[in-house]
Each structure stands twice: as C-alpha cells, then as structure tokens.
Amino acid sequence: MPRAPRRGASTRRQPLTRERIADAAIELIEREGLDEFSTRKLGAELGCEAMSIYHHFPSKGDLLDAIASRLLGKVDLSSAAEEGVVPELRLVRVIRSYREVARTHPRSFPLLALRRLNSVEAMTFLEAFFGILRDAGFDPERSTDVFRLLGHWATGAALSELAARSQVAHPTRTVPASEVDPDRYPLTREATPWLLASHFDATFEFGLRSVLDAVRRARGK
Amino acid sequence: MPRAPRRGASTRRQPLTRERIADAAIELIEREGLDEFSTRKLGAELGCEAMSIYHHFPSKGDLLDAIASRLLGKVDLSSAAEEGVVPELRLVRVIRSYREVARTHPRSFPLLALRRLNSVEAMTFLEAFFGILRDAGFDPERSTDVFRLLGHWATGAALSELAARSQVAHPTRTVPASEVDPDRYPLTREATPWLLASHFDATFEFGLRSVLDAVRRARGK
DNA sequence: ACCTGAACACCGTTCAAGT
DNA sequence: ACCTGAACACCGTTCAAGT
C-alpha cells in the first residue's frame, strides 16, 4: 500500500547543497555548541534524514572543514585591494574583521584555528593578504613570516577571548577557593583588574599596536 | 553464589586518582586522537570500568579541563626565577618550553588553547610569568598586556604548526586541484616555499624576535 | 568511599533500497 | 542522482547496587 507523500513538516523543498548544509551547521553550532552538534540534529534542522548529508560530505570531519572555510569566507576582504589606502590600514581592517567573525561566531570559530584549510576561501584570503604585504614592500619570504606573525597573534587573541568568556566549551566547575590561596599568587592577584573581560579591548589594541610596530620595523630591513 | 574475585587481567591495583586518570588520558589522546578518545576506552586503559572515572571527575568536560591544566604543568618554569639571568632570556626559555609541550603533545595541546583554565597549574604559570615581567620593569597593567601578547602569539603559532602538520584532526580529503587553479593565486604560489613545514622553525624565530622586540619597546614607555 | 554493571538516550556511519 | 531508514557498533551519563 503506497504511502501518501508527506509534506507540511517541511514545505521548503530547497535542494540540499554543501553551502546550505554548512550554513545550517554554523547556525546550529552557535545555538547549541560544538559538543551538542550532530549530523542527526542537523538533518532535523534541514528537514531531511541525517544520511542525506553524507551524500554531500564524505564524513562529519569534512563538513567541519567546510564550516571552517565558510567562516573564513565571512572575513571582509573588501578593504584589502582598496586603492589609495595605505597598506597598514588595510591590514588593520582585515584583522579587525577577523576578530569580528570570531566574536559573532564564538562556538564555531575554534574550527578555523584547528583544522587545516585548503579551500577556495583559504586561497582567496591568503592571496588578499599577500597582496597587501606586497604593496607594503615585502618580498614573498618576509610576507609569509609577517602573515604568520599577524595570523598567529590574531588567532591566539580571538581564542583566548572566547575561552575567557566561556563561549567555547560548556563551563565546568571553577576551582575551589581553598586550592587557590590568593596569597600564594600575589603578582597575579595584583594584575587581576587587567585580566578581566572588561580589559579585553585594551589588551587587543596593545597587541595590535605591538605586532604592527614589529611589522613596520621588519620592512625597514 | 559468591563469585571468586577476578584478578589477572589487571594485577596493578593502584588506586585511581585524578592525576593517574589525566595522565592516562593524555597518553590515550596522543595515541588515538581527540576524536577517538572516550571515557570507555580510558577505563579499559586503566583496567577499570568507565564509570569509575566519574567518581573522580563530574563529567568528561571536567576531565578535559584537568588534562589541559596537566599539560600546562609540563611547561618548564625552572628558568623563570633564575637569579642572574636577564629577564628576556627567561621569557624566551619559558616560551620555548611551551612550544615544546605543544610539539610533544600535538593531539591534546588544543585543549590548552580552548578551555578556560582556573587551576593551580594555571595560577603557578601566571605567577611565574608575572615574576619575570616585574623583574623586567613592567607594572601590573603592562605585564598583563605583554603576557597576553606573548601568550596569544605563542598559542597561535603552536596551533598553526599542529594544524599544518595535520596532527590535530584526522586529515580529510584535500581540495581538488581543479578548484584551486594556481594561476588565480600568483602571490600565494610565489610564497609556497616559505609556507611549507620546512620553514616553520624560521617563521617561529622571526615571530619570537618580533614580539620580543615589541616587548622591549613597550618597556621604554 | 570507591567501584561496578545494567540501562537509557543518544552518536557516526554502512548498506541495501527506494524514487 | 539524490534521498531514505533500518541496522551496527559505538558514545556519555543515570542509577541502584555492591564492597
């Protein structure tokens, strides 16, 4: 006995695509966290079976890679090629946009830091960045070192901010006060006001100034 | 009918402790990867039921936090308080040891970057670092900014190296050559030799010189 | 206090089958 | 070509019970 075609629950019969799956996955991760993310929940979200996803991605790992690339694609590169804008300012704009992507996607952003990216988005990002550095007068070798210096710092800063805000993993119990007698750590206690979230912006600006300073000096050599 | 006490399979009846569990977990993660790690496998490793672990940690998340702290505890801080050694050199030694921990624990190290740490190990590390910076003449506010600048860069550098070596996640398929026509990314192609793993050490040294340079200049102000 | 083992509500992924 | 759904071999965690 043939069953009547079910509809209603999901009238939207958009065909599944890699992009649509990855975007829905990002949304789901931001809502429920990386630990809670599963292909089965994603299927429910998309109105299809979990297994349909595997027709577009060979494994969950590949889907996570695609998510990372998609996040990198959200970084605003429009300022990278802007005529008449001094290279350093273009660098700053790209870096600030990178930080903004981290802040608006706190729970999926770690994927960007942990997974090796070889995608169109990654290549586009690299090419734009190298373009700025060439305009700033760097040869390919120095461009690579500078790219990595800025990238490493920016990634570390973003992750640290997310971790400190407990936006990455579900927060677990804090250390019992008895274990961390503050008298044993006087220097840390003294620095507490500047370790708080309220100081993140100032710390970011100090870091940005510092690495840009180093970049400026590297150009002179 | 009482069963005879089983022994043999696990003669070693050391009592379970948080430290023993965390160390076995690190070993297991390094051998099989973070994705493959489970409390059940860890139980088998320790010769006990998976549930025994939950008597020492309220959840798997708490165990992961403990692993992160344990890793941080492996950083060699002996040079931090060394009399007669110039502060900058002490900073360098701690940073190099941090990198070394990442390289010797590639698959568990990401936990250190992603999880918020408030443990004895974290406090000890902070206090040692702040000690060096005080000796270098920094006040608490600048110490915090400098600590974060160095920490963010070092963490980003370590993660990037691990990701590039595909030591973090199980490697997935590479991008099809058709998608990344190298002619569309001439600057990136030109920089390829310096983006390879063989250049990691040089990039690390450039980065270290750069951030230390920035720190030295921050002290003057 | 510390550990067990059955049970529950999940996972990612395979496979043969449907359209 | 694209999607389904049952099935397999797993998970983390609960709970009542053992010593």
Side-chain angles (χ1 to χ4, degrees), chain B residues 132-220:
Chain B
I132 305 177
L133 294 174
R134 180 209 46 204
D135 293 352
F138 288 105
D139 66 25
E141 179 176 1
R142 263 298 174 264
S143 287
T144 307
D145 287 340
V146 166
F147 162 68
R148 291 244 143 106
L149 168 63
L150 294 174
H152 293 164
W153 170 76
T155 300
L159 288 180
S160 149
E161 184 173 345
L162 300 181
R165 293 190 197 276
S166 289
Q167 290 177 309
V168 177
H170 40 218
T172 48
R173 45 135 237 177
T174 46
V175 97
S178 60
E179 276 187 49
V180 284
D181 175 7
D183 291 338
R184 292 196 51 198
Y185 311 100
L187 298 173
T188 305
R189 191 178 46 179
E190 210 182 356
T192 302
W194 298 281
L195 286 167
L196 302 178
S198 53
H199 195 65
F200 282 171
D201 283 336
T203 296
F204 181 87
E205 297 303 330
F206 172 84
L208 184 56
R209 257 183 285 128
S210 297
V211 288
L212 287 176
D213 212 58
V215 170
R216 222 175 290 123
R217 291 162 64 80
R219 192 176 37 186

Side-chain angles (χ1 to χ4, degrees), chain A residues 185-188 190-191, chain B residues 79-82 85 87-88 90-91 94 123-138 143 147:
Chain A
Y185 310 100
L187 299 174
T188 305
E190 208 182 358
Chain B
S79 49
E82 224 159 358
V85 178
E88 183 171 317
R90 289 188 265 153
L91 279 183
V94 173
M123 294 297 284
T124 304
F125 184 89
L126 266 178
E127 191 69 11
F129 217 97
F130 279 129
I132 305 177
L133 294 174
R134 180 209 46 204
D135 293 352
F138 288 105
S143 287
F147 162 68

Side-chain angles (χ1 to χ4, degrees), chain B residues 69-89:
Chain B
S69 288
R70 200 102 179 124
L71 285 174
L72 190 58
K74 289 180 189 284
V75 177
D76 182 7
L77 298 174
S78 64
S79 49
E82 224 159 358
E83 301 281 335
V85 178
V86 68
E88 183 171 317
L89 186 54

Side-chain angles (χ1 to χ4, degrees), chain B residues 1 3 27 29 47 56 79 89 107 119 133 137 165-166 169 186 191 198:
Chain B
M1 195 194 289
R3 262 200 276 169
E27 212 179 309
I29 291 169
H56 300 268
S79 49
L89 186 54
R107 307 176 103 169
S119 59
L133 294 174
R165 293 190 197 276
S166 289
S198 53

Side-chain angles (χ1 to χ4, degrees), chain A residues 2 16-17 28 45 59 61 68 71 91 109 117 132-133 141 144 174 177 182:
Chain A
L16 245 36
T17 62
L28 187 55
E45 196 80 2
S59 73
L71 285 174
L91 279 183
F109 182 84
L117 297 181
I132 306 177
L133 295 174
E141 179 176 2
T144 308
T174 46

Side-chain angles (χ1 to χ4, degrees), chain A:
Chain A
M1 196 196 289
R3 261 201 276 169
R6 283 180 307 146
R7 6 180 65 255
S10 61
T11 324
R12 49 172 182 352
R13 280 282 65 167
Q14 292 178 49
L16 245 36
T17 62
R18 287 174 61 92
E19 288 70 28
R20 211 163 77 82
I21 294 170
D23 285 343
I26 291 174
E27 213 178 309
L28 187 55
I29 291 169
E30 291 306 327
R31 201 167 63 238
E32 308 210 344
L34 207 45
D35 288 346
E36 286 298 312
F37 173 70
S38 75
T39 53
R40 291 164 117 105
K41 286 182 188 167
L42 181 55
E45 196 80 2
L46 288 163
C48 70
E49 289 293 314
M51 280 317 301
S52 305
I53 293 160
Y54 284 82
H55 199 266
H56 300 267
F57 296 97
S59 73
K60 191 187 182 184
D62 285 89
L63 171 55
L64 295 178
D65 284 345
I67 291 169
S69 287
R70 199 103 180 122
L71 285 174
L72 189 58
K74 288 180 190 287
V75 177
D76 182 6
L77 297 175
S78 64
S79 49
E82 224 159 356
E83 301 282 337
V85 178
V86 68
E88 183 170 316
L89 187 53
R90 289 188 264 153
L91 279 183
V92 167
R93 286 181 181 165
V94 172
I95 292 170
R96 288 197 191 279
S97 175
Y98 184 72
R99 187 195 187 197
E100 205 49 35
V101 170
R103 290 163 73 112
T104 51
H105 304 80
R107 308 176 104 169
S108 49
F109 182 84
L111 294 172
L112 196 43
L114 261 41
R115 307 194 77 87
R116 194 214 314 235
L117 297 181
N118 32 11
S119 59
V120 174
E121 287 91 342
M123 294 297 285
T124 304
F125 184 89
L126 266 179
E127 191 69 11
F129 217 97
F130 279 129
I132 306 177
L133 295 174
R134 180 209 46 202
D135 292 352
F138 289 104
D139 65 24
E141 179 176 2
R142 263 296 174 265
S143 286
T144 308
D145 286 341
V146 166
F147 161 69
R148 291 244 144 105
L149 168 63
L150 294 173
H152 294 164
W153 169 76
T155 300
L159 287 180
S160 149
E161 184 172 344
L162 300 181
R165 293 190 197 275
S166 288
Q167 290 177 310
V168 177
H170 39 219
T172 48
R173 44 134 237 180
T174 46
V175 99
S178 61
E179 277 187 50
V180 285
D181 175 6
D183 290 338
R184 292 195 51 198
Y185 310 100
L187 299 174
T188 305
R189 189 178 47 178
E190 208 182 358
T192 302
W194 298 281
L195 286 167
L196 301 177
S198 54
H199 195 65
F200 282 171
D201 283 337
T203 295
F204 181 86
E205 297 302 330
F206 172 84
L208 184 57
R209 257 183 285 127
S210 298
V211 289
L212 287 176
D213 213 57
V215 170
R216 222 175 290 125
R217 291 162 65 80
R219 192 177 37 185
K221 294 174 195 161

